[in-house]
């Protein structure tokens, strides 16, 4: 019988994985500050494959906003195969994100970056002995985030939290760092609420097609949660920027459609209007960040509360897969590591 036991354990163990990651980053604080001070970068590129590419899409906007350096995100395959379309002139910092540290495209992109003398490589991974871990000028390893499941959950959220800590540290944002340190406890407290909310959604039994909306750094997170739904439950699932949803995608809204909004605190009025339009068209809408059943702290900085969206979206994908008789631990056609032959 399908029960998704590994995926479930990895979702619920995220508070412990985050706490361990925060401790490791605190131990590396001085080394990370020296790394920043030694660099003189014209651009920062975040890269990964699959989930970690979406992580890159979520990390780059926050980094550019807080650092002031041009920051972009590309799939590793694009850096490898089309470097002239990705890199600008000047010395670069490449931030490579990989759960396994063995993905072929990421390895080849990083190797080419170093061979071409484009700049410095910072690696974030979960496996210290992996090939990618050996390439970085500095490598940050989070072994507590390792997973047995094919689908990434705690590895994604732990690595994402690490990019936020790195961004805040290099920007001197001590207030944001302090807020990020509260996340393990906040997640531990809120997971039972997430379980109840997901049970309520699944109990309604209406959702067959899913959309995930997020703008700014939340777009990358929307892409990731859409991927979780697709991987685990084999359901049609897409991600869009909030206001882009009106430009065509809303044509399919109706009964059986659930639109999940990863809401911001700065542009909530525009985002709520999109979700209200979804409901007027006969679809269902869930506003993460605004729904009182979730109970996010009102004063929590936006970057920090974005992390708390992840376990809820992952649980929704898990339970929807189980409702269809699928095993989230064994998604169709997928392997933990993509290796090109």
């Amino acid at each position: 019988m399908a029960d998704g036991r590994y995926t479930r354990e990895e979702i619920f163990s995220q508070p412990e994985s985050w706490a361990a990651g925060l401790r490791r980053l605190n131990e590396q604080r001085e080394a990370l500050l020296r790394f920043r001070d030694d660099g003189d970068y014209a651009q920062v590129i975040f890269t990964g494959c699959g989930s970690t590419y979406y992580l890159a899409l979520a990390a780059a906007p926050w980094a550019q906003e807080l650092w002031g350096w041009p920051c972009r995100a590309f799939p590793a395959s694009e850096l490898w195969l089309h470097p002239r379309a990705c890199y600008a002139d000047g010395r670069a910092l490449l931030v490579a994100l990989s759960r396994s540290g063995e993905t072929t495209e990421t390895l080849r992109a990083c190797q080419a970056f170093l061979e071409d003398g484009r700049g410095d490589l910072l690696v974030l991974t979960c496996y210290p002995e992996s090939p990618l871990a050996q390439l970085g000028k500095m490598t940050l390893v989070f072994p507590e985030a390792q997973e047995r499941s094919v689908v990434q959950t705690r590895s994604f959220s732990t690595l994402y939290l690490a990019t936020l800590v790195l961004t805040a540290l290099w920007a001197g944002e001590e207030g944001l760092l302090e807020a990020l340190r509260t996340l393990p406890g906040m997640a531990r407290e809120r997971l039972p609420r997430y379980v109840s909310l997901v049970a309520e959604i699944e109990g309604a039994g209406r959702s067959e097609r899913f959309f995930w909306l997020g703008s700014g750094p939340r777009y990358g997170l929307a892409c990731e949660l859409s991927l979780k739904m697709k991987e685990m439950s084999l359901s049609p699932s897409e991600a869009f920027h909030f206001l882009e949803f009106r430009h065509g995608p809303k044509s399919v809204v109706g009964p059986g459609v659930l639109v999940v909004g990863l809401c911001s605190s700065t542009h909530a009025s525009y985002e709520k209007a999109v979700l209200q339009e979804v409901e007027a068209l006969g679809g269902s809408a869930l506003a993460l960040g605004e729904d009182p059943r979730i109970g996010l702290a009102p004063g929590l900085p936006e970057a920090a509360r974005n992390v708390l969206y992840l376990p809820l979206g992952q649980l929704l994908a898990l339970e929807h897969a189980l409702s269809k008789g699928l095993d989230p631990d064994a998604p169709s056609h997928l392997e933990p590591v993509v290796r090109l032959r």
Side-chain angles (χ1 to χ4, degrees):
M1 179 179 176
D3 61 7
R5 66 182 65 182
Y6 297 133
T7 305
R8 184 181 301 277
E9 187 276 330
E10 287 156 6
I11 291 173
F12 278 89
S13 65
Q14 285 175 108
E16 290 69 37
S17 181
W18 298 356
L22 288 165
R23 288 193 297 270
R24 290 182 180 278
L25 288 163
N26 188 56
E27 293 167 359
Q28 295 287 325
R29 180 185 175 100
E30 296 306 317
L32 285 165
L33 289 173
R34 287 195 298 272
F35 189 104
R36 177 201 62 185
D37 294 341
D38 290 344
D40 182 20
Y41 306 115
Q43 58 182 317
V44 181
I45 304 294
F46 291 82
T47 193
C49 296
S51 286
T52 51
Y53 166 55
Y54 297 143
L55 199 168
L57 279 177
W62 275 120
Q64 180 162 314
E65 185 172 327
L66 292 183
W67 293 345
W69 305 333
C71 298
R72 303 171 72 192
F74 290 99
S77 57
E78 293 296 297
L79 296 180
W80 166 36
L81 297 173
H82 304 284
R84 293 179 62 187
C86 302
Y87 295 112
D89 292 336
R91 194 160 176 267
L93 171 63
L94 179 59
V95 182
L97 308 157
S98 175
R99 172 175 66 173
S100 68
E102 297 183 18
T103 305
T104 301
E105 298 104 297
T106 303
L107 284 169
R108 293 187 181 177
C110 292
Q111 289 162 349
F113 175 86
L114 295 173
E115 289 168 4
D116 293 341
R118 295 187 182 275
D120 294 332
L121 174 63
L122 176 61
V123 172
L124 283 74
T125 186
C126 301
Y127 290 86
E129 304 303 323
S130 64
L132 184 63
Q134 314 312 311
L135 295 179
K137 179 180 178 180
M138 185 173 186
T139 296
L140 302 173
V141 182
F142 304 92
E144 292 83 2
Q146 295 173 9
E147 294 163 327
R148 296 184 64 172
S149 296
V150 173
V151 174
Q152 296 190 36
T153 53
R154 76 177 172 208
S155 62
F156 180 94
S157 64
T158 303
L159 292 175
Y160 177 56
L161 177 57
T163 67
L164 295 177
V165 171
L166 176 69
T167 300
L169 178 63
W170 283 8
E173 293 283 345
E174 292 295 333
L176 177 54
L177 282 171
E178 185 58 35
L180 295 172
R181 295 186 191 108
T182 69
L183 290 178
M186 295 187 71
R188 199 174 292 113
E189 178 188 344
R190 280 158 179 76
L191 276 167
R193 302 184 192 184
Y194 294 174
V195 171
S196 298
L197 178 56
V198 168
E200 182 179 329
I201 294 170
E202 281 300 306
R206 296 192 301 266
S207 302
E208 300 172 355
R209 184 168 188 170
F210 298 83
F211 292 94
W212 305 78
L213 307 185
S215 297
R218 287 164 300 283
Y219 174 67
L221 302 183
C223 290
E224 168 62 9
L225 293 177
S226 177
L227 180 63
K228 296 308 94 173
M229 184 62 73
K230 193 174 297 184
E231 289 175 324
M232 292 192 213
S233 76
L234 308 183
S235 299
S237 186
E238 299 176 79
F240 292 93
H241 299 271
F242 256 100
L243 300 190
E244 280 295 301
F245 190 69
R246 290 192 176 102
H247 296 268
K250 75 172 186 179
S251 62
V252 302
V253 171
V257 170
L258 174 62
V259 180
V260 183
L262 281 63
C263 296
S264 68
S265 56
T266 51
H267 302 294
S269 61
Y270 295 105
E271 295 164 351
K272 287 180 185 177
V274 175
L275 298 178
Q276 288 166 355
E277 190 169 349
V278 166
E279 293 179 328
L281 292 171
S284 300
L286 175 63
L288 303 190
E290 302 298 325
D291 195 304
R293 294 170 292 180
I294 298 171
L296 295 185
L300 192 65
E302 201 160 273
R305 83 175 191 168
N306 291 343
V307 183
L308 295 173
Y309 294 160
L310 294 169
L312 177 54
Q314 295 161 353
L315 276 172
L316 184 57
L318 171 74
E319 296 300 339
H320 193 63
L322 294 174
S323 75
K324 296 174 69 174
L326 300 172
D327 186 358
D329 290 342
S332 297
H333 313 310
L334 299 179
E335 298 176 350
V337 182
V338 176
R339 297 182 179 91
L340 302 186
R341 296 172 176 83

